[in-house]
Amino acid sequence: MSGFKREELHRFVKMREKSPPPVFVGRKSILNSIFEIANTTGEEGIGIPGNTTVIQGAPGAGKSSVLHHLEAQNANDKAPKALYVSSVELEELFSDVLMAIATLGYTDRSKLKRLALQTTKSVGSLALLDVIGQISISLKELQGLFKTHDIQNVMSLHKAFPAEEWDTPVIVAIDEAQNFPKKKGTQQSGFLMALHEARTKLPLTLVVAGLGDTHSVIRSMGLTHGVKAHSLGCFNSVELTELTEKWCVHFGIEIGSCQEKMDLLMANTDGWPRHVHWAQRALAEAVLMDGVDGFADRIPNWNAIQSKADTLRRGYYDSQYSDVIDESSKLAGRVMLEIAKREQMGLFFKKDEIVGLVEKFSEENNEPGWRIPKTKDSVSYVTELIHCGALQSQSMDTYDRIVTCPIPSFQSYIIKQGGFDLPVDSDTPSPYSIEDPYRAPNF
């Protein structure tokens, strides 16, 4: 098959979990919101106060994929530029972050005058300076400019590179924001506040992504006004179909008569992005087999593909099932069971109510598996459930802030590990009678 991209598919199989996906679909409302505010800053030529977007979700929700997609738009001359940087880089490589922002946005040809690929010496995500060749200078030259102008923060950046001389707005997209210290007065909080409040009037837009409590983290750092939080969830059926089609086209895979089999494979992921990745990886290994060579009709055993996807998914559960939860498996399972029952009725708990559940069940059953681990209190225990992906904070249209279970199959897993039966409507067959008891039910 001349169009089959075997080597590229081999690389996909070896990809790590944080690697950008080869095909991106969905998340249109989030992207539209980000680009709308970024384009507005470009049209006005100044920053706009309250321009921060929060993207939060459980591990595997696709937060990093959204940021990678923002960065990928740098190749589009008409799109705002984006700097994808981690919270660690913002802390340890702050001067490099400032240089990268200037390099992306400021294109005065008297200073930024030639393509220079030697910026590969930069670290981590900041290697993107290589990619944006039309607005790059050498790293040594740029460092010289920063030293001459003594640029140490956003305010001094504006003095050296004033807003009226910027050629494009820049989106500063920060990943793993849940790791920021929950306090004001740090270098990170000062930087975020400067961007959020548009103190310098530079055409900068801030996007922060992190786990399910990221909104509360940045609020504790002082970003309280106008912050919009987007909680990532599962792909819907239309997005899954689109993703499967584009993924096969991307790698030159011939679907043939196997569309229904592929659709079933993807349906069993419940649309959770990380589970979708595992299913794609299992499928990729199958079409790479000798004799298959990219033709889905030649796959000898589709059950083996599903089995491999299930195995990879259970490995994901194990990695997210932290030591804290393992030490209190009955407590965690009981809490998740109560949440599942409430969700089954279309109702939800607030965070303080879940804290109350943790305290209630732990006090009523003072024995191993029920106690809150000594390293935690009831509040930090709920935060642990959020960070492992069992729970996620979410704002409702009614302005209520609720806590949901973003990954139904992981919810089921925790309940079963605690030794509890999963909730089932008395009038309907059990959704857990299928071969994989941890596959997500339809609560």
Side-chain angles (χ1 to χ4, degrees), residues 333-350 353-354 357 389-394 396 402-412 415 422-425 432 440-443:
R334 186 71 174 86
V335 170
M336 298 302 288
L337 178 59
E338 286 302 305
I339 296 172
K341 290 178 179 178
R342 179 72 69 94
E343 290 176 339
Q344 196 173 49
M345 297 183 290
L347 302 174
F348 303 94
F349 286 107
K350 295 182 179 180
E353 293 174 323
I354 296 179
L357 289 178
L391 301 176
Q392 178 169 292
S393 297
Q394 186 170 336
M396 301 290 285
I402 63 171
V403 175
T404 63
C405 297
I407 318 172
S409 54
F410 189 42
Q411 179 186 41
S412 304
I415 292 172
L422 301 160
V424 180
D425 287 335
Y432 307 99
N442 294 318
F443 287 141

Side-chain angles (χ1 to χ4, degrees), residues 13-73:
V13 170
K14 297 177 182 178
M15 280 172 53
R16 298 292 182 177
E17 295 178 1
K18 296 283 284 187
S19 301
V23 175
F24 183 90
V25 301
R27 316 310 190 193
K28 292 181 180 179
S29 63
I30 298 174
L31 294 170
N32 289 341
S33 176
I34 294 171
F35 283 123
E36 181 180 7
I37 189 67
N39 284 322
T40 301
T41 64
E43 293 167 1
E44 298 292 332
I46 59 173
I48 298 175
N51 65 3
T52 300
T53 299
V54 176
I55 303 172
Q56 60 184 21
K63 304 177 295 295
S64 298
S65 297
V66 173
L67 302 192
H68 280 298
H69 186 71
L70 291 175
E71 182 187 50
Q73 303 311 300

